[in-house]
Structure formats: C-alpha cells, structure tokens
Amino acid sequence: MTTSSSKMGKVENKQVIFKGYTDGSPVETDMELKHGNLIKLEAPKGSNVVVLKNLYLSCDTYMRGRMRDRHDSYIPPFLPGSAIEGYGVAKVVDSDCPDLKSGDIVSGLTNWEEYSLIQNTGQLKKIEQVDGIPLSYHLGLLGMPGFTAYAGFYEACAPKKGDYVFVSAATSAVGQLVGQLAKIYGCYVVGSTGTSQKVELLKNKLGFDEALNYKEESDLEAALARVAAVFFAALVVAGTMWYFPEGIDVYFDNVGGAMLDATIANMRNHGRIALCGILSQNNRNDPQSFRNMFSVISKRITMKGFLQSDFVHLYPRFLEDVTRYYKQGKIVYLEDMNDGLESAPAAFVGLFSGKNVGKQVIRVAKE
Amino acid sequence: MTTSSSKMGKVENKQVIFKGYTDGSPVETDMELKHGNLIKLEAPKGSNVVVLKNLYLSCDTYMRGRMRDRHDSYIPPFLPGSAIEGYGVAKVVDSDCPDLKSGDIVSGLTNWEEYSLIQNTGQLKKIEQVDGIPLSYHLGLLGMPGFTAYAGFYEACAPKKGDYVFVSAATSAVGQLVGQLAKIYGCYVVGSTGTSQKVELLKNKLGFDEALNYKEESDLEAALARVAAVFFAALVVAGTMWYFPEGIDVYFDNVGGAMLDATIANMRNHGRIALCGILSQNNRNDPQSFRNMFSVISKRITMKGFLQSDFVHLYPRFLEDVTRYYKQGKIVYLEDMNDGLESAPAAFVGLFSGKNVGKQVIRVAKE
C-alpha cells in the first residue's frame, strides 16, 4: 500500500533545523531533528534548480559564527526554523540547471537534510571522481578546510624552508594538513592537541616532528618554551643556524586566546602568525587577555588574519598539488565519520570540546 | 682663585643618574641629579674615545623599557648608578677617533650629563648642518622618532593613496610625522590625542583632517565609529569608492590596549595595523584585554610589529625626503623644549601622562 505522500510523488525529507540564536558554545538542543517534511524530487522547469540527494555533510567550526545573531561577519547568520546550511557532497537527482545533470556528484553549500532543492547552483562544483580518493574528502582534504590550510600556510604564513612551525588544533580538518604541507616544504613541525591519542596520531600517523597535549600543561608559556627548546635542539643537531635565538618562526593559529599569547612569548624575531580561528573562545567577543603584545613589536612579528575565500585564484593549484601529494602517499587525512543525519547535532557540538578525531563528517546516505 | 678640579684640568660634570629598576610608570625619583662628578675633557691617546659636550638630550618613551630589569628586549636595561643613556646632539670637544674632530656636531647615543666620554663612536653620526633646520630636530624630525614614523608608515602600513589613516598619540614625536607623511601621500588622516589644545594643533597646525580627544570619550569604540563615519562621509563627498564599507584602512598604533581593540572594531577589510608602541600600558606585561580579535580574522587585518632599526637601508632616503618636505614647508614639527639637565627627569616622566606637546627635548647647553 502506498502512502499519500508517494501518491503525490513526494518523499519524506528528514531535516536538522536550526532552532534559534545562541551566544554560548553550541549545544545539541540548538538544533532539532524534524520528521514529516515532504518534498517533490523534481526541479521545476525554468527554475534553474537542482535537486540533490545529500551523501555527506560537513561539520565545521566556522558554523558556530552563523548561530549568532550578528550580521557583521563575512557570512550571514543561519535562519531560525530552517535547515542548517553547510558544505556537503551530494548526487544530483533532477536538474533544471544546464551545467548539471542527474547522476552528477557535486560539492558545495547544501542543507542538513536528506534532499535539498538548490537554486544558487553557482555554489556547487561538479566533482570529477578520482580513483582512491573518497568522496567525503571533498569536505575536508580537498574541500574548504584543506584549501584553508593550503592558502593559510603558503600565503599567510610566508614560510621558508627550514622554518620552525607550530600548529594548534593540529589534528583538526585544517591543522592536520597545515602540518603535513609544512613538512613537505622542509619545515620542522610541532602540533598542539587535546588528548594523548591525538598526540600519538600527530607523531606516528601525520608525521609531525613533535606534539604536545595542551590540556596536560598548567603553564602554556613554559610548554611552548619546551617546544622552542626542541626547535633549538633540532637546530643544534642539524648543525646550522645554531646562533639564532631559539623559538618559533611560524604559528598557524586555530584557537586564539591563551595559546596565542603563550606562543607570542616563544616566537623568534620576524616570526609570522596566521590567524585562522578562535576555537578556544566560546563567544568571539569574550575578552581575550594578552600579556605578550609588546613582544609583537620587539620581535617584529606579523599577525595576519585570513579567509580562504580571498585566494580562489589558488584553488586549481591546490586541487592539483594536494591530489598529487595524496596519491603519492606524501599526505594522509584523518576523518571522523558519523552515520545518519540524527548524529549531526552531537557531532557538530563535539567539535568544540575536541571529541572528533580528524575532519568531522556525517554520512547521510550510501553512495 | 682656581679650584682643585680646574688645577687638575678637570671640570664638574652634572649627571642624571638612573637609581634602580622599576616595573611601574616612571617617576622622577627613579632618577637623581648628581653634582660633583669631575671629568677631564681629554680623549686619551689610542682610546678611540670622543669627548662630547651635550647640547640637546632626547626624552623617548622607549626608554621606559630600559628602566626594567628585563634582558629579553631589543635593547638592554639601564645600569643602576650610571647616567641614563639616550639620544642626544652634542659638540665634539676632543677626539681620538679619526672620523671626528673638535668642533664637529654629532647625534647618537650619549648620556644624560653635561659631558660624555664615548668609546662606541659607531653610534654617533656627524651632522651636516642645514640652514633653517634646528640642531635639536636631529632628535625628532630627523632623528630616531622621525625615522620610526617614516619606516613605519611606508613599510609597516603598506599605504595606498586614498587610504583612511588613523594615528594614536598623534602629536607625539612619531605620530605628528606619520600623519603629515600620510597627508603628503594622499591619505585622509585622523589623529587621537589627550587634550583639546592638541586637537587644535592637529587640525590647524599639523594638517590632520580630523582629531579626537580620547580622554573625553567614554566609549572608544563608538568614538572610532564616528571617525569611521567621517571617513565614510569623506568618501561620499569625493564621489568615489562609496560602496566600500566605512572604516579605517591603516592604523599607526603608538598606544596599544583599549585604543587598539577599539580600532580593530572599526577597521575595513584588509586593513593594516603598524604596532609601534604601547604607551597606554604602564607595565608592558600587564594583561591587555581584547574583545575584537575575531575581527582580525573576519576582516583579514594584518598587524605588524616593527622597529626602525630593521630599515637602516632607508635612512639616506628618509633624510633626503624629510629635509626636502620641511624646507618646502610641507611639514612642520612640534617640539617641547625644556631648559637644563635638572628639568630632564620631570620632562621624561611627563611623556607618560601626555604633558609634552610635541617632541620632548632637553637643552643642556647653548649651541
């Protein structure tokens, strides 16, 4: 017996709805799983719409900014009562857009639901599937986070071969690639993370030279001084440049706050800090206290905020480079895959306490 | 009747002695006027020493850093019990250094005393006197502060014609030149200062487009938003680029702290901040609270600490440019001259409450 919905050519479309604005750290109840929404899997003629079957959805820390009622950012807030918008990989099931046809696989901005009708198809890119590269990697390694790492490292960090590079949130979707690109570039790389399991992954799987668990450090500045000393020891061992003051040349900052302040105290002269995120701050306007700003002057440090969207001209080169490195086995990518749209709210919330190990993805449907 | 000192060929050398390290804001009792020290005005053969008669001494805010017992800065601490070291203009009265002879006028590092024996003569530059340029200007307009303004504006601020430039401590030895160089460069310039008299000087004497008295502002962020609106209005009047978000392109920061935080909130996308000093902080390691660090990311702001000493290759061009601008009447320079070595401690302390109007200089002896 058919249901009334299928009689009308409609299917149920489960959704994760954004309930309303919050200023604190996101909690699961900021979102709600909604059943019973019916959708017709047809792109109306003349609409330029594509109908997507969502396969993978991306949980990204920047989305926290869209849960706040502030219109002064680089991206507008979510709409309460609507499905959450985010990056996804999806299959086209119907299309009125000349550039896309049924069966195509796309990545880009979609919604947290089983099926999405997308009118703004300029936000979607057709994926040319490459043997051996999982589709979900288009949300991480080959997606926005990967490109953030690429643009941030090569452009905002202005790296030099032999630089001593420090990365915070080092197993994150962005951090893990920054460290690996820095290694390929010929840098000495130390990462900070929040569990001993992740410390092991950084050293043994992602190829970082050293890693520290910041949650086990009562004094971040002293911990970073140890890291700086490690850099120094490496210099002495290498037998070159031992006369430089010990310390960090490049800091790729994903967390802000106390870690940023502690790192400034351990930077070398002419060091560079790429400011990518402030994961440590629940509310981005909470005061952050800095004791070491004078060192930014005395050490002639450059701190550079950046957004990947300013570097779109590098995107083709990024895809080519990172695909090649991956196929050559020069980089690996850690992914944390949760199954089912139901798992999305908890997975997203987990980002802010570091529950995820690697890039957090939701599998909505089987390929 | 001759005194025993003149009998021995010695003269009295009054000095300002540094008494001991302090972590707070400097007070006059951190220094002491010492009489009775006797000095022979002779450069011993083979010593490479020059004997200087100090004419003008410079009071500079960076000297506060040398009153602290910290050896991690770009310049070592003062030596307690010795005369304070600082920039000065002096006349050579005897010389064992082949490059300098009696009667030469030099500028460079000397001591807060009537006569100085200087062995490190590489720190001294012979001044070629230029008609119409006061000798004391070699401590300000044509000295370290002027060069700081020049290197900081052209290099650290990366200015573009038409930029909207904001300068704090705008009548200071550095700030007043930054604003005037920015005007010559074709920028719209607003300055912040601490008295209504200085607001008038900025607008009517130094050619700033606008000025604000930060001490009269209960909400710095709102005050800066007004400045940003002024920028915006100027854009609209000019009929160009009105579609840019209102705000500040370039901030030349002499004060740090709350003003820096408030300015970040009013910067435009891709704005640049040159970090030159933290005059607002009594103790450079006192925590500074920032609420707007996220905007450094979302607006892609670059914050650059700099020291003039990294740009010595620009020094000849600086001297040529600024001398020419001054002779052409394109720039003026405010100087606050106090008479006598006795006046030095109070004049120096006054820098930190903004008592000085323009570059603070001490006249030790008549030319």
Side-chain angles (χ1 to χ4, degrees), chain B residues 12-13 122 136 139 215 245 278 341 359:
Chain B
E12 196 201 341
N13 188 26
S136 58
L139 301 179
K215 287 186 181 162
I278 51 168
L341 203 54
K359 167 66 197 167

Side-chain angles (χ1 to χ4, degrees), chain B residues 132-134 137 140-143 145-147 149-150 153-154 170 173-186 189 201-202 204-208 317-335:
Chain B
I133 298 193
Y137 277 24
L141 182 65
L142 296 175
F147 187 51
Y150 187 91
F153 178 65
Y154 292 114
V174 174
Q176 58 176 311
L177 185 58
V178 171
Q180 293 180 88
L181 291 176
K183 282 303 297 175
I184 292 171
Y185 203 75
V189 183
L201 286 168
L202 284 168
N204 299 325
K205 185 132 178 105
L206 296 166
F208 283 54
R317 206 177 78 192
F318 151 72
L319 275 187
E320 193 188 308
D321 283 353
V322 173
T323 302
R324 188 178 68 249
Y325 290 148
Y326 182 75
K327 285 172 154 186
Q328 291 171 337
K330 288 187 180 169
I331 50 180
V332 296
Y333 200 66
L334 301 179
E335 205 176 49

Side-chain angles (χ1 to χ4, degrees), chain A residues 74 270 275 277-278 284-285 287-291 293-294 296-298 300-305 307 310, chain B residues 74 270 275 277-278 284-285 287-291 293-294 296-298 300-305 307 310:
Chain A
Y74 55 96
H270 304 289
L275 300 172
I278 51 169
R284 70 184 206 208
N285 286 107
Q288 297 182 64
S289 177
F290 288 89
R291 295 189 304 112
M293 285 299 282
F294 179 73
V296 178
I297 302 176
S298 63
R300 297 85 108 192
I301 292 169
T302 299
M303 298 169 71
K304 217 178 173 71
L307 298 178
D310 286 334
Chain B
Y74 54 95
H270 304 288
L275 300 173
I278 51 168
R284 69 184 206 206
N285 287 106
Q288 297 183 65
S289 176
F290 289 89
R291 294 190 304 113
M293 284 300 282
F294 179 74
V296 178
I297 301 178
S298 63
R300 297 86 108 189
I301 292 168
T302 299
M303 297 169 73
K304 217 177 172 72
L307 298 178
D310 286 334

Side-chain angles (χ1 to χ4, degrees), chain A residues 66-93:
Chain A
R66 303 193 69 183
M67 299 179 104
R68 292 171 191 147
D69 191 17
R70 291 187 59 142
H71 298 257
D72 61 350
S73 188
Y74 55 96
I75 189 163
F78 288 137
L79 204 61
S82 296
I84 283 174
E85 187 185 50
Y87 288 101
V89 167
K91 184 180 229 164
V92 175
V93 294

Side-chain angles (χ1 to χ4, degrees), chain B residues 195-318:
Chain B
T195 71
S196 55
Q197 178 209 5
K198 293 181 187 176
V199 165
E200 285 309 304
L201 286 168
L202 284 168
K203 292 202 279 191
N204 299 325
K205 185 132 178 105
L206 296 166
F208 283 54
D209 294 292
E210 267 301 334
L212 65 91
N213 179 351
Y214 76 92
K215 287 186 181 162
E216 282 179 355
E217 303 294 344
S218 57
D219 180 343
L220 279 178
E221 221 174 289
L224 269 290
R226 280 206 323 272
V227 170
V230 168
F231 286 149
F232 189 55
L235 285 166
V236 171
V237 168
T240 55
M241 303 192 297
W242 57 268
Y243 49 88
F244 273 95
E246 55 193 89
I248 297 163
D249 294 297
V250 165
Y251 173 40
F252 193 103
D253 180 28
N254 289 309
V255 300
M259 182 64 92
L260 174 55
D261 194 39
T263 306
I264 290 171
N266 286 285
M267 293 292 285
R268 277 181 172 175
N269 289 343
H270 304 288
R272 287 135 279 145
I273 300 177
L275 300 173
C276 180
I278 51 168
L279 193 51
S280 69
Q281 299 296 107
N282 278 337
N283 188 325
R284 69 184 206 206
N285 287 106
D286 280 349
Q288 297 183 65
S289 176
F290 289 89
R291 294 190 304 113
N292 297 313
M293 284 300 282
F294 179 74
S295 295
V296 178
I297 301 178
S298 63
K299 295 178 178 179
R300 297 86 108 189
I301 292 168
T302 299
M303 297 169 73
K304 217 177 172 72
F306 76 98
L307 298 178
Q308 49 85 26
S309 50
D310 286 334
F311 299 94
V312 282
H313 58 287
L314 300 177
Y315 197 82
R317 206 177 78 192
F318 151 72

Side-chain angles (χ1 to χ4, degrees), chain B residues 150-161:
Chain B
Y150 187 91
F153 178 65
Y154 292 114
E155 299 295 316
C157 294
K160 294 191 294 290
K161 193 170 146 61

